[in-house]
Amino acid sequence: MSDTSNNFGSIVNMNGGRGNTGINHGTVVHNDGTAQDTELQAAVTDLTRLLKDLRPELTPDQAQTLENALPALTPDRAALRERGVILASVSQIAATVGEVGRPVVEALGRLLALVG
């Protein structure tokens, strides 16, 4: 048995190709926007909280408009892009109440930057 090789680790032979990354031992790295999705979820959650805090400062009609907009705030980029009119109306309402609405306007800006 003098020809026997005892290999106790992984052996990789790579001949040519492109984008070879070797062996994956359980660590998977994808550049699929997962970090951005986490940011998007956080931005939607923050905006929703700020809108609920803003309600006491609004007229009944404004509060109803915000109430109707809340279901449209989902961490789905495509859906948020389609709901630009809703986001614009929320921004206008927040801007009308002045300084109290500024955090909402800023949160909307962060959300829109993530949506692209």
Side-chain angles (χ1 to χ4, degrees):
M1 280 218 225
S2 62
D3 293 341
T4 303
S5 296
N6 294 322
N7 295 310
F8 298 102
S10 301
I11 296 176
V12 177
N13 294 311
M14 298 167 68
N15 299 310
R18 291 172 38 166
N20 298 323
T21 56
I23 295 176
N24 181 338
H25 291 283
T27 304
V28 179
V29 177
H30 292 287
N31 190 9
D32 61 359
T34 303
Q36 287 183 345
D37 290 343
T38 302
E39 287 180 277
L40 184 63
Q41 174 66 47
V44 169
T45 301
D46 187 44
L47 178 58
T48 303
R49 179 186 55 78
L50 289 168
L51 289 174
K52 289 178 182 177
D53 292 346
L54 186 63
R55 267 191 229 153
E57 306 297 325
L58 305 175
T59 67
D61 288 341
Q62 291 172 327
Q64 186 60 49
T65 300
L66 287 188
E67 188 66 33
N68 294 342
L70 287 175
L73 299 176
T74 63
D76 180 337
R77 280 178 173 41
L80 287 171
R81 284 185 192 116
E82 292 174 4
R83 298 170 183 162
V85 173
I86 294 170
L87 297 176
S89 66
V90 169
S91 180
Q92 288 175 343
I93 289 170
T96 62
V97 294
E99 196 63 32
V100 177
R102 182 182 295 218
V104 171
V105 173
E106 291 171 355
L108 273 165
R110 288 189 298 274
L111 179 63
L112 292 172
L114 290 171
V115 170

